[in-house]
Amino acid sequence: VALTEFEIIRRYFARAQLAFARDGVVLGPGDDCALLALPPGEELAISIDTLNVGVHFPKDADPFLLAQRCLLVNLSDLAAMGAEPVGFTLALSLPTVDENWISQFSNGLAKVAQSYQCSLLGGDTTKGALSITIQVHGRVPARQSLRRKGARVGDRIYVSGTLGDAAAALCWMQNRSPFRGKALDDDSAEFFRNAFYRPQVSIEAGISLRRLASAALDISDGLASDLGHILEAGDLSPGSQTQNKASGRIGAVLDVHKLPLSVMFLRYVPPARQLALALAGGDDYGLCVTVAPALEAQAVSRMQALGIEFTCVGQIEKAPGIRMRDAQGVTAPLTFRGYQHFGVKDG
Ligand code: ADP
Ligand code: MG
């Protein structure tokens, strides 16, 4: 006998494994609304992401892993804002009541929710094509959030973690080059599965970078594209206020030989494909931040204390656009054409 909507909610979502006593939460699921109460002087940070079957994940995706990815990509937005989690809501659209699927999905949510102490506060459960929407709610002291706006000429550009692993993982899962027809050993398979489904999100990293980073975001579309957002939002250098917006935009140089690449990435992705996947592959969910030179040492030592790989990959410059610089110091523009080329996922 199929469960009713209310039984599904009670059994798999309004459950103890998804509820944690935490400052800010007054009331969780079960009423018409959840209630939050932040202490004075704090701001509420909100972000939402939808994942649709066939668009963002395959129909046969493992529900335990899928749930983790759904929640982690939302938590990544909080981290990038310097916020810490309070709770999340879940809008779930299911084609059928497959209790095994729902139960594994719930367990995946609980795994991440527990490790980030982020409670499920409520949601909506409906029938339809499989779709998962999560909205996360976080808190951050007033005026301390990390924004995309704020990078200045001379700031260093840092990324956390490694680049391109999730993009490589997607090639593997879709049996595309450079993995086509290749059987991976267990360790490699586990590495790439985790790279895609379980991005490493560090709330502590975002918190530690408050007051240190001049701009920040999480890398979801690839460093080239996401750094572009920071440049678009960036402060004009002093004295250039009168220039028109387009010519007043700041730019950046990326030291492509310094991009942090994992051992597994280097093992499977041939050199000719590495830049494309690392710069434009997407789904990395590490942080990209800019830091003024005077604060650089402090930022580096805080990330070190957290055990987070934190790599300087370039610098903000006055000239608009993104340039790539190799180990010999030779610079080439990352042109729109170049970017389009990098955007091609199968080479
Ligand atoms: P309403 O019709 O008032 O919106 P619902 O019947 O949709 O109420 O939901 C009843 C309660 O169950 C609400 O508190 C809602 O937040 C919660 N709920 C529904 N679906 C989910 C879900 N997938 N996860 C968590 N809570 C849920
Ligand atoms: Mg409802």
Side-chain angles (χ1 to χ4, degrees):
V1 186
L3 295 179
T4 68
E5 177 192 331
F6 298 111
E7 284 165 335
I8 293 172
I9 295 167
R10 191 174 48 77
R11 225 180 261 190
Y12 297 109
F13 298 114
R15 59 192 277 233
Q17 292 86 343
L18 283 160
F20 314 96
R22 181 144 190 170
D23 284 357
V25 180
V26 177
L27 186 65
D31 216 310
D32 297 310
C33 290
L35 295 172
L36 300 182
L38 293 189
E42 296 210 10
E43 289 165 350
L44 181 64
I46 297 176
S47 181
I48 188 166
D49 272 299
T50 294
L51 281 85
N52 290 321
V53 68
V55 181
H56 302 100
F57 62 91
K59 191 169 181 286
D60 60 359
D62 178 336
F64 181 68
L65 291 173
L66 181 62
Q68 293 180 63
R69 176 172 157 80
C70 291
L71 186 48
L72 284 166
V73 300
N74 275 281
L75 290 165
S76 172
D77 285 316
L78 288 186
M81 212 66 191
E84 62 178 292
V86 173
F88 69 103
T89 49
L90 166 71
L92 189 59
S93 177
L94 298 168
T96 54
V97 177
D98 175 348
E99 235 193 301
N100 184 43
W101 192 97
I102 299 172
S103 138
Q104 286 186 57
F105 183 84
S106 169
N107 289 341
L109 279 185
K111 185 179 166 105
V112 175
Q114 155 109 57
S115 65
Y116 290 82
Q117 294 288 297
C118 183
S119 303
L120 179 53
L121 301 173
D124 198 24
T125 308
T126 57
K127 190 178 163 85
L130 182 59
S131 171
I132 304 147
T133 298
I134 286 181
Q135 181 168 44
V136 80
H137 303 255
R139 47 191 282 201
V140 59
R143 292 175 303 279
Q144 289 187 30
S145 61
L146 300 172
R147 317 273 181 99
R148 294 180 175 197
K149 182 184 162 87
R152 302 192 69 95
V153 174
D155 287 357
R156 315 261 187 240
I157 301 164
Y158 276 83
V159 298
S160 72
T162 51
L163 298 172
D165 297 327
L170 197 60
C171 294
W172 168 56
M173 292 186 290
Q174 296 176 344
N175 195 29
R176 288 191 284 122
S177 151
F179 293 91
R180 206 190 325 260
K182 236 178 239 176
L184 297 194
D185 60 72
D186 288 352
D187 284 354
S188 306
E190 160 120 336
F191 174 85
F192 286 113
R193 203 177 290 118
N194 281 335
F196 185 79
Y197 282 111
R198 307 188 55 209
Q200 290 183 15
V201 174
S202 172
I203 297 297
E204 288 75 21
I207 292 174
S208 297
L209 289 166
R210 289 176 191 161
R211 298 171 180 279
L212 291 180
S214 52
L217 48 58
D218 63 330
I219 306 169
S220 54
D221 298 330
L223 178 62
S225 166
D226 289 315
L227 176 60
H229 297 315
I230 287 183
L231 299 179
E232 280 158 34
D235 281 355
L236 302 178
S237 53
S240 65
Q241 253 77 338
T242 52
Q243 290 181 356
N244 70 45
K245 258 192 155 188
S247 66
R249 295 268 160 75
I250 54 177
V253 61
L254 282 179
D255 290 306
V256 291
H257 59 288
K258 293 186 186 160
L259 298 179
L261 305 175
S262 70
V263 171
M264 286 292 187
F265 182 90
L266 292 170
R267 180 159 142 200
Y268 288 97
V269 181
R273 292 285 308 284
Q274 288 173 4
L275 259 194
L277 287 184
L279 287 179
D283 293 317
D284 290 317
Y285 295 105
L287 299 178
C288 172
V289 303
T290 58
V291 186
L295 300 172
E296 197 179 357
Q298 212 181 332
V300 167
S301 79
R302 285 197 189 173
M303 291 303 109
Q304 208 164 25
L306 291 173
I308 291 168
E309 195 172 345
F310 193 58
T311 311
C312 183
V313 296
Q315 190 165 345
I316 301 292
E317 295 184 332
K318 199 168 176 183
I322 300 177
R323 289 159 293 285
M324 304 186 295
R325 185 163 59 196
D326 66 16
Q328 282 72 47
V330 178
T331 303
L334 183 71
T335 58
F336 184 64
R337 216 180 119 79
Y339 170 68
Q340 290 279 71
H341 170 73
F342 285 143
V344 176
K345 301 219 172 174
D346 224 336

